[in-house]
Amino acid sequence: MKVMANSIPKGGTHLLLRLIELLNLKPHPFWIGADLIRGRGEFFRKWRKGSFSNQVVEIGSEVPVDIGTQWLQKKLKKIPENCVFGAHCQYTPELSALLEAEYIKTICIVRDPRSIAVSHLDYVKRSPGHFFHKHYMSLANDNARLSMSISGGQLGRYKLESLGYRYEQYVDWAKKAGALIVRFEDLVGSKGGGNDEQQRKAIADVISYLSINLTEPEQNAVAEKLFGDTSTFRKGQIDSWKDELNEQQKVDVQRTAGKILIELGYELDDNWVTMA
């Protein structure tokens, strides 16, 4: 069995990877994301990885990019059995077909889009090597940057997709490819401000999807070890967005990702904007 642990950047990929590793799959260093191409030496990377060939597949999340189908296919074939690797990739039929051909299962972790926006601001600010860091930091202030993380827009030669658009592509992994979607807020349990019962259910869903046999005590042991050993989360708690989004930014989230908030169970209706 091979598994791709997929997320929107800052959505909890490392938490999902840790869970799957606790289920006794080995971590593999390969990663599918736009940074296989984007950044310094981009033209050379495109040339070496087949982006200019006739057969390409789109990868990435924030700023997707084409990569050679044959190049990616060879990499996927080399991943050993009983391994898990990470990804930041929107759904495409071409990428889904490549994964299916190699019998790779996909699990996507999602996180409240409002928390994603706040974490995205902090991450890009702290990452001078990020391919659009320079242009992001040239915006007037943090409010402007956070609004960019929500609504998207042009950053130099890169176009950042809106938060809502990026989420729609991730939900398509379940709708069109039969992938499993789990929520970050469910997996963190009470240690991260969530609920232990929801955590156990989310873990059980992953175990069932991967057809792994674990006793209830073994599942409880996994839950106990899951959250708290990673430094990649900015705060590690849910609902931190309430203290950081201004009223206009809440309206912007509602405009671009309001339907997704309801679809993923983060809100029951649109009233959160006036209540937040």
Side-chain angles (χ1 to χ4, degrees):
M1 175 171 54
K2 306 175 187 178
V3 178
M4 183 176 82
N6 188 34
S7 87
I8 289 177
K10 309 316 296 174
T13 319
H14 293 281
L15 183 66
L16 179 58
L17 283 167
R18 175 162 175 76
L19 170 58
I20 298 172
E21 289 169 27
L22 287 170
L23 299 177
N24 296 319
L25 274 75
K26 297 178 181 178
H28 192 276
F30 186 59
W31 186 282
I32 305 179
D35 53 359
L36 284 171
I37 297 293
R38 301 294 190 195
R40 183 175 297 178
E42 187 167 319
F43 179 85
F44 176 73
R45 293 188 193 190
K46 286 183 175 181
W47 175 78
R48 187 165 63 88
K49 297 176 181 178
S51 297
F52 300 121
S53 65
N54 292 328
Q55 291 185 311
V56 295
V57 57
E58 186 180 80
I59 60 171
S61 171
E62 300 169 314
V63 186
V65 64
D66 288 339
I67 198 167
T69 301
Q70 289 186 351
W71 184 91
L72 184 55
Q73 188 176 44
K74 288 178 181 178
K75 289 292 185 180
L76 294 175
K77 284 182 179 295
K78 290 181 180 179
I79 295 174
E81 285 294 319
N82 201 42
C83 283
V84 57
F85 64 95
H88 290 323
C89 283
Q90 298 174 355
Y91 169 83
T92 69
E94 296 79 12
L95 179 56
S96 178
L98 284 180
L99 296 170
E100 185 177 356
E102 299 303 323
Y103 302 99
I104 296 172
K105 293 193 171 186
T106 299
I107 302 177
C108 298
I109 186 168
V110 296
R111 191 179 183 185
D112 190 318
R114 296 161 294 195
S115 296
I116 287 283
V118 173
S119 291
H120 185 257
L121 163 68
D122 184 71
Y123 174 72
V124 178
K125 283 179 63 179
R126 293 186 293 104
S127 304
H130 193 287
F131 54 86
F132 60 64
H133 170 86
K134 176 182 177 181
H135 302 288
Y136 192 79
M137 294 306 295
S138 71
L139 298 175
N141 50 42
D142 278 356
N143 272 333
R145 296 177 189 113
L146 185 51
S147 293
M148 173 64 73
S149 292
I150 294 168
S151 299
Q154 202 69 32
L155 290 166
R157 60 193 177 93
Y158 299 112
K159 181 184 177 182
L160 177 64
E161 300 288 357
S162 73
L163 195 60
Y165 179 86
R166 302 198 304 267
Y167 260 83
E168 287 171 4
Q169 311 311 305
Y170 277 88
V171 172
D172 276 349
W173 277 109
K175 292 179 178 178
K176 299 179 180 180
L180 176 68
I181 291 183
V182 294
R183 301 196 324 173
F184 169 87
E185 291 81 1
D186 294 337
L187 278 184
V188 296
S190 60
K191 292 180 181 178
N195 178 284
D196 287 339
E197 183 177 348
Q198 291 175 341
Q199 184 189 50
R200 287 192 292 270
K201 182 183 182 305
I203 292 172
D205 288 344
V206 172
I207 290 171
S208 176
Y209 177 75
L210 297 179
S211 300
I212 295 173
N213 293 318
L214 285 184
T215 65
E216 185 173 340
E218 288 172 333
Q219 292 185 34
N220 291 338
V222 169
E224 183 63 30
K225 296 175 182 177
L226 180 56
F227 185 80
D229 277 358
T230 176
S231 61
T232 61
F233 301 122
R234 180 170 174 265
K235 291 188 176 179
Q237 299 286 325
I238 63 176
D239 290 340
S240 60
W241 60 269
K242 291 182 178 180
D243 300 324
E244 313 228 19
L245 297 180
N246 64 33
E247 293 306 313
Q248 182 58 53
Q249 288 160 347
K250 292 170 187 175
V251 171
D252 290 342
V253 172
Q254 176 63 30
R255 174 178 49 79
T256 183
K259 290 170 60 177
I260 292 292
L261 285 170
I262 296 172
E263 184 174 348
L264 294 178
Y266 290 112
E267 296 294 343
L268 296 176
D269 50 41
D270 295 337
N271 292 332
W272 68 271
V273 177
T274 55
M275 295 171 59

